[in-house]
Amino acid sequence: MNLYEIIQDTKTHYCLECGKCSSICPISRYDPQYSPRVMIEDALFGFEEELIHNHKLFSCLTCYACQLKCPSDVDYPLFIRKTRELAAAAGEHGDYAHSGTLQSLVGLMARSSIKQRRFEWFSNSYRTSESSDVMLFIGCSPYFEPVFEDIPVRTLDIAEASLKILNSLGIEPLVHPDEKCCGHDALWLGDMETFRILAEHNAAIIKESGVKKLIFFCPEGYRTFKLDYPNYVKLDCEVMHISEFLAQRLETEGLRFNEVKKKVTYQDPCRLGRHLGIYDAPRKVLASIPGIELVEMEHIREDSICCGTSCFTNCDSYSKQIRVGRLVEAKATGAETLITSCPKCQTHFKCAMVARGEEKGPEVEIEVMDLANLVANAIGG
Amino acid sequence: MNRDKFEPLILGFACNWCAYAGADLAGVSRFQYPPNMRIIRVMCSGRVDPTFVLKAFASGADGVFIGGCHPGDCHYIEGNYKARRRYELLKKMLPQYGIESERLRLEWISASEGARFAEVVMDFINVIKELGALGKRQDQ
């Protein structure tokens, strides 16, 4: 694919240069050097070299805020993703956060025959079944633990909470020992070869296990399976986010929760919200827990502000400013807990609260919790 | 796969002051050892970020070797202790990713131990040959 085709594909040539994208872009708000409009303009003028060697190409959060505001319906995130493929082919990549550990992990998983031991974390208090027709996708959460130990984020808590929820609904899900990274980061960083290897592997093991329903607690995995996999592999099962699943069960089975006294606010993850349009399901789940009072932030739903980094790339001071800005908004609601339904949102927010070295941490302490954990608490037991 | 034919690819990090000088001595003294290891000189074994090791495995290495000064001899006072801590952490992490922990080795080699350098590397290469190519063990 060349730049001309990318422009055709993403309808970039309809750009009116109105600049709405740059005014809504969370990065442009803090980083005057970054402008989606200028990127598009570079592409339209045919400055291919400048574009693919532009360091800012990897700064885009692909949060879809711009696309929803664009009067010409230019798919800027897709334009970025495809241009990154060109850039990756030319040997360019962004600045990997955490010294590239997470990218190395993806690379390790793409080396086909390595047999992972995914269940070292697994406690026997949860019931799983190998013949179940429901599968819970655990994804990269076991690998986040050692990397983010200092923040501290325990992404496996979300996995365990999700298992607890499913068990309490009488479902013994399949937890697959051979699943690999969904390939979300590889795809959005333009590494198509790795993405294809991972997608083919996951599709094959899911087909073999014969599951009918695949449940995610991570919106990134969910998005990748729902929107991106069908373009490359065949997947014969229904995919769902755990909040959707819970909302559905609330309607059909009249699920009851114990009381949890808490004033909370809710962060819409970009992948779940703007990418997939799921805003109501998590709010419905929150409303169904007695004692929970939901107070909304200033920017919610379509206008929600991203957690500041995507694909663990180009995480810089601007990313931190976006996060701190969002946390200030969350604190202004008077809520004691910020609920999100994405493990990465949680990681990034918690990271923003940590003071490093001489630097004093920002005054934005607020408890950050995943929706699945809150629901698991409300189930009790 | 024919085990005799398998030639492992090993990445070695050697500290400038001890292990690298030891490798140099092994060379000038003409101690023979197989050519499977590619050495990267680092100023101190403490320079080796755990990420380097993960990246080496992700990019195709079958084994990773880290050589530093003996405890107490570090040119930067405590760099090798840092290397040892990271090594212990990696030893715990690697099996979870499906990489046998024997594929990573940390050794203390001083600048005067040319013969030992050759011996240690030879032994490590044999261990990796025994393990086979990374990720291929189940298929054998």
Side-chain angles (χ1 to χ4, degrees):
Chain A
M1 183 166 279
N2 59 31
L3 191 59
Y4 180 75
E5 282 166 15
I6 294 172
I7 290 171
Q8 297 289 324
D9 263 21
T10 55
K11 293 178 282 180
T12 307
H13 51 266
Y14 289 148
C15 175
L16 302 171
E17 294 190 31
C18 67
K20 277 192 175 175
C21 46
S22 298
S23 58
I24 194 79
C25 177
I27 303 177
S28 303
R29 184 172 306 169
Y30 297 107
D31 180 2
Q33 301 286 309
Y34 182 81
S35 160
R37 184 187 63 82
V38 174
M39 289 270 192
I40 293 275
E41 206 176 81
D42 277 353
L44 291 175
F45 281 132
F47 297 149
E48 186 170 339
E49 284 298 301
E50 283 82 348
L51 193 62
I52 64 175
H53 295 295
N54 185 346
H55 182 67
K56 298 279 175 199
L57 182 64
F58 287 91
S59 288
C60 174
L61 306 166
T62 58
C63 72
Y64 268 93
C66 50
Q67 203 261 346
L68 291 182
K69 291 282 177 275
C70 179
S72 310
D73 205 16
V74 173
D75 197 340
Y76 182 72
L78 188 66
F79 164 79
I80 284 287
R81 189 173 103 191
K82 301 221 171 207
T83 315
R84 281 178 187 175
E85 279 174 40
L86 294 182
E92 285 286 339
H93 61 77
D95 286 341
Y96 295 149
H98 308 283
S99 333
T101 313
L102 297 139
Q103 281 80 5
S104 291
L105 290 182
V106 176
L108 271 175
M109 287 202 215
R111 270 188 87 167
S112 58
S113 48
I114 296 181
K115 188 112 180 130
Q116 310 169 69
R117 288 192 221 158
R118 294 183 67 90
F119 290 141
E120 309 239 313
W121 56 277
F122 205 70
S123 85
N124 291 326
S125 48
Y126 306 103
R127 296 187 310 275
T128 57
S129 150
E130 277 180 27
S131 55
S132 179
D133 55 1
V134 178
M135 174 173 163
L136 182 69
F137 194 84
I138 305 293
C140 38
S141 52
Y143 301 130
F144 278 11
E145 299 269 301
V147 182
F148 300 122
E149 213 176 6
D150 59 325
I151 293 180
V153 175
R154 287 216 63 228
T155 38
L156 276 180
D157 278 356
I158 308 172
E160 293 191 37
S162 305
L163 276 172
K164 190 176 163 187
I165 293 167
L166 292 178
N167 280 177
S168 74
L169 290 169
I171 298 166
E172 297 182 8
L174 167 72
V175 180
H176 207 292
D178 285 333
E179 71 178 44
K180 288 190 172 176
C181 164
C182 62
H184 172 276
D185 288 5
L187 177 72
W188 288 93
L189 290 175
D191 185 356
M192 294 312 290
E193 197 193 330
T194 305
F195 174 72
R196 254 191 217 110
I197 293 171
L198 295 169
E200 278 162 16
H201 173 88
N202 284 329
I205 62 158
I206 286 163
K207 196 174 176 195
E208 202 187 299
S209 65
V211 291
K212 303 263 164 18
K213 193 179 272 182
L214 195 52
I215 297 179
F216 292 84
F217 52 83
C218 172
E220 294 198 342
Y222 178 38
R223 190 229 125 91
T224 311
F225 270 75
K226 189 162 188 173
L227 301 181
D228 301 317
Y229 274 26
N231 297 336
Y232 299 94
V233 290
K234 203 166 146 23
L235 210 61
D236 293 324
C237 65
E238 193 188 350
V239 286
M240 255 185 156
H241 188 258
I242 190 137
S243 62
E244 271 184 297
F245 180 74
L246 279 168
Q248 206 183 59
R249 284 291 165 124
L250 280 170
E251 271 175 18
T252 57
E253 295 187 8
L255 208 58
R256 289 263 179 279
F257 295 115
N258 299 335
E259 189 175 25
V260 180
K261 273 232 157 298
K262 238 185 183 68
K263 198 172 170 187
V264 301
T265 182
Y266 179 72
Q267 155 82 4
D268 286 288
C270 56
R271 263 61 186 163
L272 198 61
R274 281 184 293 264
H275 283 231
L276 292 156
I278 299 166
Y279 303 105
D280 294 320
R283 290 185 168 79
K284 210 184 243 171
V285 175
L286 284 173
S288 70
I289 304 173
I292 289 287
E293 186 195 342
L294 176 67
V295 274
E296 295 284 12
M297 287 183 267
E298 193 185 337
H299 298 94
I300 54 162
R301 301 174 74 98
E302 288 85 354
D303 299 326
S304 169
I305 295 169
C306 171
C307 64
T309 317
S310 166
C311 306
F312 295 107
T313 299
N314 279 23
C315 181
D316 47 24
S317 56
Y318 304 121
S319 303
K320 187 159 184 175
Q321 278 173 291
I322 297 172
R323 275 170 218 160
V324 171
R326 187 60 167 166
L327 286 168
V328 166
E329 238 179 58
K331 261 200 104 76
T333 61
E336 52 187 310
T337 307
L338 173 62
I339 300 287
T340 167
S341 40
C342 177
K344 286 194 179 173
C345 284
Q346 193 184 133
T347 309
H348 296 149
F349 284 135
K350 283 191 173 166
C351 179
M353 291 184 223
V354 174
R356 291 209 162 69
E358 299 294 303
E359 187 191 344
K360 201 170 156 287
E363 308 270 320
V364 281
E365 287 289 326
I366 183 168
E367 187 191 20
V368 187
M369 197 193 235
D370 196 271
L371 183 66
N373 290 99
L374 185 74
V375 173
N377 289 348
I379 288 171
Chain B
M1 188 173 66
N2 188 345
R3 195 176 291 178
D4 300 331
K5 283 277 174 61
F6 167 61
E7 288 300 337
L9 201 62
I10 294 170
L11 189 69
F13 294 100
C15 104
N16 177 53
W17 306 97
C18 298
Y20 196 81
D24 205 18
L25 186 65
V28 293
S29 319
R30 307 207 169 191
F31 295 124
Q32 300 281 324
Y33 63 91
N36 299 69
M37 187 160 87
R38 322 291 198 258
I39 299 182
I40 295 177
R41 183 172 60 134
V42 286
M43 287 312 281
C44 177
S45 52
R47 173 69 184 91
V48 182
D49 189 310
T51 315
F52 296 178
V53 177
L54 290 177
K55 189 163 185 190
F57 284 124
S59 330
D62 298 303
V64 177
F65 178 87
I66 306 167
C69 306
H70 284 277
D73 286 355
C74 180
H75 190 81
Y76 306 101
I77 303 163
E78 54 184 16
N80 52 1
Y81 296 136
K82 292 202 164 91
R84 188 163 62 188
R85 282 213 292 275
R86 288 169 189 163
Y87 171 72
E88 291 301 330
L89 175 84
L90 276 166
K91 281 269 189 197
K92 271 191 215 146
M93 272 172 78
L94 290 176
Q96 206 188 4
Y97 300 128
I99 300 168
E100 296 89 345
S101 62
E102 299 84 45
R103 290 187 186 275
L104 174 67
R105 185 180 284 194
L106 174 71
E107 287 283 350
W108 310 129
I109 299 164
S110 84
S112 61
E113 292 175 328
R116 194 175 117 79
F117 183 88
E119 243 170 63
V120 163
V121 171
M122 206 137 51
D123 180 57
F124 186 50
I125 291 170
N126 287 334
V127 168
I128 301 293
K129 275 189 178 166
E130 200 56 44
L131 286 171
L134 177 55
K136 290 276 158 54
R137 205 178 186 184
Q138 285 86 11
D139 311 340
Q140 279 177 358

